[in-house]
Amino acid sequence: MKYLYFALLLAPAAGLTADVPPQVSAQQFVDLQQGNSSFAGFRRAHAKGLCVTGEFRANGNLADYSKASLFKAGTTPFTGRLSIAGNNPTAPDLKAPVRSLALSFALSRTEQWRLAMNTPPVMAVADPHTFYQQIQAIQAGPAAIKQFFAEHPESSEFSAWAGQYQPSGSFAAETYHSINAFYLVNAGGDQHAVRWAMQPTVSVAATDLKDDDALHQEISSRIAAKPVVFDWVFTLAEPTDDETNPTKAWPASRQQINAGQIVLTGTTAQLEGDCHAINFDPLVLPSGITATADPILRARSAAYAESYRRRAKEQLHGALEGSNNE
Amino acid sequence: MSNSDRFSLSMRLFHWGMAALVVSMLAAGLLMITSLQPWQLTLLTAHKAFGVIAIILVMARLINRLRHRLPPLPGDLSAAQQWGAKASHWLLYGLLFAMPLSGYLMQYFAGRPIELFGWFRLPAALQVDIHNYALFRELHGWLAIALIGVIALHVGAALHHHFVRKDNVLKSML
Ligand code: HEM
Ligand code: HEM
């Protein structure tokens, strides 16, 4: 079966694959992500990371757009996680193409919000089945991914971003994007499509450290010395913008609202902290925020649940014996 | 058929209403855990909301059952068959109760509040407990398999009564 997909992928007759990609299940997707070596008890994607704690200091600017309680002026604590993309919890930090920030707000017993954000502002593809092919191409090597991008013109904005992106020397100096759009809903029932980004307030030059844990060590000592701050900036769509297509950025002229600051105040190794137990499924939403019809966004819940189920079961069976999460 | 040979109207309505609900819930559950389609989130949200309705219905149904007389089983059933019929019915009630309860507890420990048709939300733990999540997640899956098995037995027995033994057991529920 794998070879069949492979053959299709490399087929010069691009029309075969470009139109309707073979439909994959959540289980197939997570199988592909975890690859041949799965690390029992760890996430199947973004396996390497560390827990962060901190608070959101809202300035109230977004309160008219969403009734979610955290946007009223004031502070709300969160549990978060900084990570790198990939299935290996011991991978070298600086080799990862994507860095990530995830947040979990437990606003009340009935209102929770999970966010999982990455460094690229857009996806290369617009649906999970084509995304599956993209990951196959990445796993197959540079020639395959080059051909994949050539066969998928929708990846042009992503490629342009990747071509100019300079990884910084710190998790603190990256911009983390929602990529997918969501709707904000206010008390009057008005709905606005938005994307958001966590924008850094420091810049840090690329590091020449070779250590596998360079970014983990850097951020731990940085936060121990001084809180790390991001601005939480929302971009509001106009009616002409497509909120269901994660491969296209909206024009730079769109209204932006700074909702406040995300302040990271503490770090803990992932197996010692609270973040490991959390499934940062971005479809866990509080009142005042709803999901768009973006097919990538809508595919995330089932895949995250499958990964979470696998690692939770492994942990129940003793996979992480000895860590504080046991 | 005299009235005492038949289940009361309320019991028949509960029976067929819940049969439709539970079969849909099983199908939805099996479908949504594999699907990456855009409707997955809609189905998942509906699964949880209707699952909560199922637990309310099964409680109402049990209370209703205890307040009604049941038509007697056919007199020619052996003691073992009588016992089997009763045991399988209580097993069904047990599963109908444990199924939604395990679903809710799985979501509770994963820190995922349940939204009911936009009316209100059921509480979840503020602090995620991955052990208890894993326990109830796996339980929900195993109970589903058990429920499918018992439903198959139940349907098989009803058809056996009707077509082979040609007694009134199936008709008493129609
Ligand atoms: C169809 C598209 C996607 C699929 C199938 C997918 C799949 C996954 C899976 C299986 C996990 C592990 C979950 C766990 O065990 O807790 C994960 C984690 C994560 N994903 Fe995705 N993902 C998708 C798109 C995205 C997008 C668009 C973003 C960013 C905007 C993103 C950001 C993240 C982050 C930050 C994490 C790590 C969260 C943490 O620290 O626990 N993913 N993803
Ligand atoms: C009569 C009641 C119910 C039935 C028959 C039922 C049936 C199922 C089935 C068959 C599955 C697939 C399980 C598997 O193959 O492992 C499932 C999954 C699930 N059920 Fe239920 N369920 C019921 C009630 C509930 C309730 C009340 C909730 C929550 C409030 C719930 C939440 C879930 C969730 C979240 C999943 C997917 C978990 C995942 O993706 O990992 N269920 N259900």
Side-chain angles (χ1 to χ4, degrees):
Chain A
M1 202 59 185
K2 264 199 176 137
Y3 291 103
L4 178 69
Y5 285 146
F6 210 16
L8 281 173
L9 189 72
L10 299 176
L16 253 187
T17 50
D19 296 333
V20 185
Q23 305 286 292
V24 292
S25 68
Q27 288 67 33
Q28 285 171 300
F29 205 106
V30 174
D31 284 347
L32 181 72
Q33 286 178 309
Q34 78 182 21
N36 293 329
S37 46
S38 85
F39 297 88
F42 288 91
R43 286 171 173 77
R44 272 27 181 194
H46 303 259
K48 187 177 184 190
L50 78 167
C51 297
V52 291
T53 49
E55 61 186 30
F56 170 47
R57 298 186 186 146
N59 54 25
N61 289 349
L62 210 70
D64 286 344
Y65 291 89
S66 169
K67 60 187 174 204
S69 63
L70 78 174
F71 292 123
K72 292 197 193 88
T75 62
T76 308
F78 58 76
T79 301
R81 186 167 176 271
L82 285 162
S83 63
I84 55 170
N87 64 356
N88 182 343
T90 61
D93 287 348
L94 297 171
K95 292 255 165 64
V98 170
R99 299 174 185 172
S100 313
L101 172 63
L103 300 176
S104 169
F105 291 99
L107 303 172
S108 73
R109 286 197 166 268
T110 52
E111 300 281 339
Q112 298 229 12
W113 191 5
R114 309 269 161 83
L115 306 84
M117 299 160 283
N118 283 349
T119 37
V122 289
M123 292 283 295
V125 296
D127 74 87
H129 312 289
T130 316
F131 189 30
Y132 184 87
Q133 297 183 328
Q134 184 192 345
I135 298 173
Q136 285 182 314
I138 292 170
Q139 293 180 357
I145 190 67
K146 217 175 142 205
Q147 173 156 5
F148 177 88
F149 284 143
E151 286 167 3
H152 289 85
E154 73 271 30
S155 64
S156 63
E157 282 191 27
F158 176 85
S159 299
W161 172 83
Q164 56 75 52
Y165 168 67
Q166 297 285 337
S168 73
S170 175
F171 276 123
E174 299 289 339
T175 305
Y176 301 96
H177 297 92
S178 70
I179 305 181
N180 304 123
F182 294 78
Y183 296 114
L184 298 183
V185 185
N186 67 15
D190 303 324
Q191 179 171 296
H192 284 91
V194 294
R195 284 176 172 146
W196 64 79
M198 301 298 175
Q199 295 180 347
T201 55
V202 293
S203 59
V204 181
T207 170
D208 50 12
L209 292 175
K210 294 280 176 290
D211 196 288
D212 277 359
D213 297 330
L215 291 178
H216 279 69
Q217 285 161 2
E218 196 278 343
I219 195 69
S220 302
S221 41
R222 179 182 290 272
I223 293 176
K226 188 162 156 270
V228 162
V229 177
F230 295 87
D231 288 319
W232 191 352
V233 178
F234 285 75
T235 302
L236 274 62
E238 293 284 324
T240 49
D241 299 329
D242 184 358
E243 70 268 30
T244 68
N245 184 346
T247 67
K248 297 274 171 289
W250 300 333
S253 57
R254 293 294 172 257
Q255 185 190 355
Q256 295 199 321
I257 299 177
N258 183 337
Q261 291 186 320
I262 290 287
V263 184
L264 308 184
T265 54
T267 58
T268 327
Q270 66 170 333
L271 295 186
E272 316 288 315
D274 292 336
C275 73
H276 180 76
I278 300 175
N279 169 6
F280 290 91
D281 175 351
L283 294 161
V284 176
L285 298 166
S287 310
I289 299 145
T290 60
T292 58
D294 175 347
I296 291 280
L297 177 61
R298 295 243 165 185
R300 288 172 74 180
S301 205
Y304 286 52
E306 178 64 22
S307 168
Y308 189 49
R309 180 188 189 180
R310 290 183 190 184
R311 62 189 181 89
K313 187 177 171 187
E314 289 156 0
Q315 191 171 338
L316 190 66
H317 293 160
L320 300 175
E321 216 72 10
S323 77
N324 276 359
N325 265 273
E326 275 313 300
Chain B
M1 220 176 358
S2 79
N3 270 342
S4 65
D5 293 342
R6 216 166 166 211
F7 284 93
S8 71
L9 177 64
S10 62
M11 292 185 80
R12 280 177 282 144
L13 284 175
F14 266 121
H15 177 270
W16 292 109
M18 277 203 76
L21 178 63
V22 168
V23 171
S24 313
M25 287 294 294
L26 286 167
L30 294 172
L31 197 63
M32 77 199 186
I33 64 163
T34 67
S35 175
L36 296 178
Q37 303 300 333
W39 44 257
Q40 192 272 349
L41 179 64
T42 316
L43 191 61
L44 174 67
T45 311
H47 180 89
K48 295 191 244 185
F50 282 101
V52 172
I53 291 188
I55 204 165
I56 297 167
L57 279 180
V58 77
M59 288 191 285
R61 182 176 176 185
L62 263 174
I63 294 168
N64 186 58
R65 185 189 203 270
L66 297 175
R67 293 175 63 229
H68 283 84
R69 278 171 49 108
L70 307 189
L73 286 168
D76 57 343
L77 285 185
S78 71
Q81 278 171 315
Q82 302 237 6
W83 182 88
K86 285 187 183 139
S88 70
H89 294 160
W90 286 111
L91 190 58
L92 267 173
Y93 277 111
L95 288 170
L96 289 182
F97 197 72
M99 206 57 241
L101 191 64
S102 60
Y104 175 66
L105 289 174
M106 165 221 312
Q107 296 292 284
Y108 180 87
F109 288 113
R112 300 179 65 135
I114 310 287
E115 165 128 36
L116 278 130
F117 310 105
W119 298 335
F120 66 100
R121 288 167 167 237
L122 294 182
L126 288 172
Q127 179 98 16
V128 172
D129 179 338
I130 192 169
H131 264 140
N132 278 321
Y133 157 77
L135 213 61
F136 288 106
R137 174 64 188 88
E138 297 311 316
L139 196 62
H140 200 63
W142 286 112
L143 288 171
I145 294 170
L147 181 57
I148 292 169
V150 179
I151 290 175
L153 274 178
H154 182 76
V155 172
L159 296 176
H160 179 79
H161 278 285
H162 193 68
F163 291 109
V164 180
R165 298 180 58 96
K166 299 194 194 305
D167 59 23
N168 260 337
V169 167
L170 177 59
K171 279 193 213 133
S172 66
M173 192 49 99
L174 295 178

